[in-house]
Amino acid sequence: MSFLHSFTRSRMNRASSSRLSELPQRVESNRMSMVYATPQSKQSFGKLNIPKPQSVTSERRTSFFGSRTSGAGMARNSAFGAFGGAEKMKDPRPLHDKAYVQQCIRQLCEFLSEKGFPGSMSVKSLQSPSTKEFLKIFEFIYCLLDPTFQMPTSKVEEEVPRILKDLGYPFVLSKSSMYSVGAPHTWPQVLGAVVWLIDTVKVFCCMSDQDLLFADFSDGSTEIEDGVEFNKLFLDYTAETYNKFMQGADTFDEEDADYLAKLKRLYNVDEGLLASMEEKYRILSGEVERLEKESQTDRLMVKRTEKVKLQTDLQKLQSYRSNLESFKANLENKASGLAEELEASGLQVETLKQEESRLQHILSTQKFTPADIERINWEKRELQQTINSLSKSLEQAEQHMWNEEIALAKAKETAEVKLAEYHKLARKLKLIPVSAENACGHDFEIRTSTEYGPSTMVQCRTQIQQLLRKLITDVDEECSRLTDMKLSLEESIEQVNSNISDKANDLKQLREQIRRLDEQLEQDMQDIAHEEQKWSAEMESVETHRKLLEKKVTLGYDESVEQLKAAQQQYHLVLQETNEERRTVVNNLASVLTTAANHLSIVEKFLEDQHKRVDRVYVEAFREDEVDIQKMKDIMESFIAKVNSM
């Protein structure tokens, strides 16, 4: 059981170990809860609602999820409306306090320098920046959230407040403040918005670095602790305890026990095995304590400590040895000088001895008066005082020489440390050796030598500074060239994208025209079929009429034959009328049939012409689309080739 408690505690502490935002905490609590923060997915970056901080003694606590009520009447109210709708609220930050404003300015300056702001910014320049500088800073910070963002060239006084509002900035930033950003009455509010945006970027970077949800899809070696099952249990537990918290509860013993039981089921915890492991752990812990009491000391740790100490002492001795060698060389140089002085002093002593023997001979041969003796004694005392003063001066000179040698050794050690740091930084920047990538054939290495004087060091420093300035100038020029190339490529990409969109619109219009032509063709085919049906019906009616006429003619002929004998006198007249009537009917039928045949041929010809014209238009449109698509493919292939070549 202790294993599960420690596992759960470590998991909860890891989920809430960092607090990037410098905003005040929502609620100050003295209890130790298992959940401190609601997990968020890195795929969703919505509005970051920042509630108004409440008093420590107040019982009200804020929530992102609107107001909730409880039956006991102990509901914690939300500072926002339902579904996170922000109400107009007053900024509680002391933006008119000079100390707070200076703290925000330092925070902004540190953030810009940390993230590599391209311009040169200092605390002094941020006291009252211009609108142009503010727009550069805002664009740089917002690009950390959206790398594709570009500041518009017009109506920036409307765009900046809109972006902050979309991000969920809870306070109002007026458009008029964008006209005079550096003014004393507007800069604190704008600075507060920028600091809030910095906190948002930090939160976003933190959530991007750690995948809190669906972590088991990152790679195959992820533990079950970061899997979907654990996240589901964790989020259910968080939601349940948060609901209880919003209803006024401060302890969650039942939820903790339920959560631990679910964890046991998830990880297939065997209670018997866990108890046996705890018993083994207790036995082993007792054995370890007994062994520690018996040995009192861990010999391995002692040996490791002694090894570290000996390694440290060895490094110190090596450093001291190098110092002693340099000091020995200096002493040898001084000893050679002192030997020469000693030889000169020996010659002088020999001369003085000869003078002393000569004077002693004179003293032994001559007679001294009391005045001479007194004068000699006075000279002796004077010489003794001179010897004493010279001895003191010699001791002081030796002591001063020793102090100067110690100071020289310390200065030399400091110079060697700085020189080592310089060489380390130069190797990191690939400036040394001469064949390095960024050395350009120049020698940036500073070699130690006791023969270097102040003028030599100044000359070496001046030469290296000139080479470094030239290198910095070359790097700046290369950066500007690459920036210009990047801008030109971005412009060409935008042009290609606009061309692609135009061609897509044209292709869409052509497809619409083809669809309309197809519909018109279908309608024409339906009309032609309808006309064919109509003409077939007319032909049937004409055929029926013809048959009827034939039948009537036959009946008339039979009647005339039967009445031939009775109407012999009117035979020629009736025959003539019958022939005329037959001729008229035949002419009418022939004209009707000719007209119908001509109409059918005209309709067929018209349909063939329409079909050929539609096919020709469709083929021409299809060829034009193929040509445009081929051109677009060629443009894209050339652009991709240019990008790959760069």
Side-chain angles (χ1 to χ4, degrees), residues 59-74:
E59 289 296 325
R60 297 185 63 190
R61 299 179 182 176
T62 58
S63 172
F64 290 104
F65 304 101
S67 60
R68 300 177 184 266
T69 58
S70 64
M74 298 176 62

Side-chain angles (χ1 to χ4, degrees), residues 324-336:
L324 285 179
E325 289 178 353
S326 60
F327 184 69
K328 179 182 178 181
N330 293 330
L331 288 179
E332 288 177 353
N333 295 329
K334 292 179 180 179
S336 60

Side-chain angles (χ1 to χ4, degrees), residues 231-250:
N231 283 325
K232 185 176 182 301
L233 291 178
F234 183 74
L235 290 177
D236 293 340
Y237 170 78
T238 304
E240 187 176 357
T241 54
Y242 190 77
N243 290 333
K244 294 291 184 66
F245 173 73
M246 293 303 298
Q247 292 174 3
D250 288 326

Side-chain angles (χ1 to χ4, degrees), residues 146-159:
D146 185 6
T148 61
F149 172 75
Q150 288 185 355
M151 183 64 69
T153 57
S154 61
K155 294 185 179 181
V156 292
E157 66 277 0
E158 298 178 359
E159 188 69 16

Side-chain angles (χ1 to χ4, degrees), residues 515-529:
R515 186 183 62 80
R516 290 177 181 175
L517 289 174
D518 291 337
E519 292 177 355
Q520 185 178 0
L521 178 60
E522 185 178 358
Q523 185 66 30
D524 292 340
M525 294 295 290
Q526 292 177 359
D527 294 340
I528 291 170

Side-chain angles (χ1 to χ4, degrees), residues 97-208:
D97 187 3
K98 293 183 178 179
Y100 182 77
V101 172
Q102 294 299 322
Q103 180 183 356
C104 293
I105 290 174
R106 287 193 297 271
Q107 181 182 354
L108 175 59
C109 187
E110 291 175 358
F111 180 81
L112 293 176
S113 61
E114 179 183 354
K115 296 297 182 181
F117 182 69
S120 59
M121 282 294 166
S122 62
V123 177
K124 184 177 181 181
S125 63
L126 291 175
Q127 298 294 330
S128 179
S130 61
T131 304
K132 186 176 180 181
E133 292 175 347
F134 167 73
L135 292 178
K136 288 182 179 179
I137 294 173
F138 182 83
E139 182 179 5
F140 174 76
I141 297 175
Y142 190 75
C143 283
L144 298 176
L145 296 176
D146 185 6
T148 61
F149 172 75
Q150 288 185 355
M151 183 64 69
T153 57
S154 61
K155 294 185 179 181
V156 292
E157 66 277 0
E158 298 178 359
E159 188 69 16
V160 173
R162 184 190 64 78
I163 292 174
L164 291 173
K165 185 178 179 181
D166 291 342
L167 288 176
Y169 185 60
F171 311 115
V172 179
L173 190 64
S174 61
K175 297 180 183 179
S176 59
S177 60
M178 294 292 102
Y179 293 103
S180 56
V181 175
H185 62 283
T186 58
W187 175 234
Q189 283 76 16
V190 178
L191 181 61
V194 173
V195 171
W196 180 88
L197 184 60
I198 289 175
D199 292 336
T200 303
V201 171
K202 290 180 179 179
V203 172
F204 176 70
C205 294
C206 178
M207 301 310 296
S208 297

